[in-house]
Amino acid sequence: MINKIRKAIVGGLLGTAAMTLVLFGGPMFGIPKISPPQMLSSMFRFSILDGWLVHFMIGIIFATMYVLVIRTLLNKNKIINVIWKGTIFGVFAFIFGQIMISILSALFTEAPPIVGSVIPMMMESILGHVTFGIVVALYVK
């Protein structure tokens, strides 16, 4: 169990770092930069450093869910390809994240304003989350 938790922590850190690089790379393709730490710090009115810490903590929590639950469910459904596992997990993380942002912003704060077109930003966010999922799945396999 300790080894699984260790893999989840490292996988979550690596996956979150990879996802963040993808999201920060948006301006190279004409898409506004998505900064999860900035979004978190503005939504919950804490420092950008705290935004970074929360961003990486969320990545570790999701990676732990993957290691302890989701990977087993995917194996039971005979999904053995690690890239597919990571892709499915990334899409799940994206959908769950969108739901949680909507709920939390409705309950506690206002969501940050959207700058630019929503469709390219959503596509970039999906790509970032799928990158996260694949990196986590590859690391913990």
Side-chain angles (χ1 to χ4, degrees):
M1 181 62 109
I2 296 296
N3 191 38
K4 285 183 177 183
I5 299 299
R6 186 178 300 121
K7 282 190 171 195
I9 291 170
V10 175
L13 292 171
L14 292 173
T16 304
M19 173 186 165
T20 304
L21 287 174
V22 168
L23 297 178
F24 279 17
M28 291 189 301
F29 302 102
I31 302 168
K33 180 176 82 172
I34 298 173
S35 174
Q38 181 64 45
M39 182 181 65
L40 289 165
S41 67
S42 67
M43 280 179 72
F44 299 108
R45 294 175 176 80
F46 47 61
S47 74
I48 190 68
L49 176 62
D50 290 338
W52 278 102
L53 293 173
V54 170
H55 177 53
F56 276 91
M57 285 175 27
I58 291 168
I60 291 168
I61 290 167
F62 269 92
T64 303
M65 288 178 9
Y66 177 80
V67 168
L68 299 179
V69 178
I70 296 170
R71 183 171 59 166
T72 303
L73 292 174
L74 293 172
N75 287 338
K76 285 183 180 179
N77 287 304
K78 301 193 183 347
I79 299 171
I80 56 172
N81 183 293
V82 72
I83 301 297
W84 275 113
K85 286 180 185 179
T87 301
I88 292 166
F89 173 54
V91 170
F92 163 77
F94 169 77
I95 293 169
F96 186 83
Q98 295 304 306
I99 292 168
M100 290 309 297
I101 286 172
S102 297
I103 291 170
L104 291 173
S105 64
L107 291 176
F108 299 109
T109 65
E110 293 181 19
I114 295 174
V115 178
S117 178
V118 174
I119 300 296
M121 289 177 64
M122 293 300 266
M123 291 172 54
E124 180 184 15
S125 183
I126 291 169
L127 179 61
H129 283 86
V130 167
T131 301
F132 167 79
I134 291 171
V135 169
V136 170
L138 285 170
Y139 183 78
V140 302
K141 71 174 182 172

